[in-house]
Amino acid sequence: YLKKKIDVPGLIKYKVLKTCGIGESRVNDLISDLMEKGSNPTIGLLAGLGQVRIRIAAKAASEEEADLLIQKTEEDIRLKVGEFIFGTEEDTLEAIVCQLLRDKGLSLALAETSSGGHLCQMLSLVPHSSGCFKEGYVLHSGEAQNHFLGEQEGIWDGDHGEKAIKLATMARVHGKADIGLGILGYIKAEDDLSSRSLPSTYIALADHAKSLLREYRFGWNLEGIQLRSCIMALDLIRRYLLEKA
C-alpha cells in the first residue's frame, strides 16, 4: 500500500542508529549535509530523554540495493557522529555496557542517591547481567550516605564532586568490584522542579587507579531527571570501557 501511495517502485528499508550524550540540534548540525531534501536514503531524527535516534530510510528496487544504500549512508553518519553512536535498532545502552563488561572480564558496583535505584533496575533487567553487575546501593537519605561513606553523623561539608568520587570508590570497595560508579544528586520529589536553579547532578567512576567525574544540570520532571542521570552514567561507563580496548 505504501509503495503504491507514494509511487515508489520496489521497497523501502530502514535502519536506526542510536546515540547518547549529544542533543538533537547538535546531531542535526553534524549531519545536515546528509539530510538534504530529496536525497535517497532519507535521514530523520527522533529525540528522547538523553538519547537521539537517527533513522535511515532507503528506497530501492531490491533489498540488496537498499542495504548498499543504507551501508554507505551509515558509514558517512558514523564518520560525523562517531563515538556518540552506541548501537542500532533494538540495542539498549545498559545491554551494551553489560556486554562490554563481560568482554573485558570486569565487574561493576554502584551507589545511587537521587536516581533512586533506577540504574540498578535497568542493569538487573539485562539478561545475564549478574555476571558483571555485582551490587547496587540506594542511599536516599543523608544519613545513609554518611554511613556508607564512613563519615561521622552530620552534613557533608566537602566538595560535591569529591563526594561523588568517594561514593564510586566505596561502591567498588564494598562490592569488591573492578569499577565503582556513584550518582549524587540533591533533587527530591517534594522540590519545586520548575525552578531555573535546580542543583547539579554529579556522576563519578572509579577504578583501582583513577577516577572520572561529570557534572550535569538536568531539567524536566523527577522521573525524567532520574532517567537522564542513569543514561549519562551508563554512557560514562561505556566510554571508559571503550578507551580500555
Side-chain angles (χ1 to χ4, degrees):
Y1 169 79
L2 181 59
K3 289 187 288 185
K4 291 180 180 179
K5 184 73 175 176
I6 61 177
D7 194 28
V8 176
L11 54 81
I12 303 175
K13 192 169 184 180
Y14 303 94
K15 184 168 185 178
V16 174
L17 308 179
K18 293 185 172 181
T19 74
C20 61
I22 186 172
E24 181 183 11
S25 60
R26 180 59 178 151
V27 174
N28 186 80
D29 289 342
L30 290 173
I31 63 173
S32 59
D33 60 319
L34 303 176
M35 300 174 66
E36 294 179 356
K37 188 175 181 180
S39 62
N40 181 35
T42 59
I43 301 172
L45 303 180
L46 179 61
L49 282 176
Q51 300 187 26
V52 178
R53 289 183 286 172
I54 305 171
R55 193 184 75 163
I56 307 168
K59 305 171 186 177
S62 68
E63 189 165 344
E64 291 76 14
E65 183 183 346
D67 286 338
L68 288 173
L69 288 169
I70 289 173
Q71 180 182 353
K72 176 61 171 65
T73 300
E74 180 180 353
E75 289 172 355
D76 291 340
I77 292 172
R78 286 183 179 275
L79 283 174
K80 294 173 178 291
V81 182
E83 64 185 3
F84 294 106
I85 298 174
F86 70 84
T88 66
E89 303 298 346
E90 301 304 317
D91 289 337
T92 65
L93 188 53
E94 55 268 32
I96 294 292
V97 166
C98 285
Q99 187 61 57
L100 287 169
L101 286 167
R102 287 194 295 268
D103 289 347
K104 298 179 184 303
L106 297 174
S107 59
L108 172 71
L110 59 95
E112 300 183 63
T113 62
S114 57
S115 50
H118 199 101
L119 184 53
C120 290
Q121 182 185 39
M122 292 172 71
L123 290 168
S124 66
L125 290 174
V126 177
H128 312 296
S129 60
S130 60
C132 58
F133 172 42
K134 297 189 69 173
E135 293 188 13
Y137 306 89
V138 182
L139 309 168
H140 192 57
S141 69
E143 291 80 7
Q145 294 166 28
N146 284 340
H147 179 72
F148 182 77
L149 296 174
E151 297 292 328
Q152 299 297 319
E153 291 186 6
I155 299 174
W156 173 274
D157 59 0
D159 179 81
H160 298 305
E162 291 176 0
K163 183 176 181 179
I165 291 171
K166 190 167 184 180
L167 282 172
T169 301
M170 296 309 294
R172 182 181 67 81
V173 172
H174 289 315
K176 296 180 174 60
D178 299 300
I179 303 165
L181 186 93
I183 300 178
L184 176 64
Y186 298 93
I187 299 172
K188 297 181 175 61
E190 62 269 22
D191 292 340
D192 178 12
L193 299 182
S194 65
S195 171
R196 292 180 177 270
S197 58
L198 290 174
S200 295
T201 297
Y202 301 85
I203 301 172
L205 180 150
D207 62 17
H208 70 283
K210 68 176 182 179
S211 61
L212 304 172
L213 177 67
R214 302 288 183 268
E215 179 181 353
Y216 300 97
R217 194 177 293 272
F218 300 121
W220 211 260
N221 55 34
L222 180 58
E223 186 176 1
I225 292 170
Q226 289 178 330
L227 180 56
R228 291 178 72 184
S229 299
C230 294
I231 289 172
M232 298 315 297
L234 287 167
D235 192 46
L236 178 60
I237 304 169
R238 179 184 72 94
R239 289 171 180 270
Y240 165 84
L241 292 170
L242 289 175
E243 288 178 1
K244 290 180 71 68

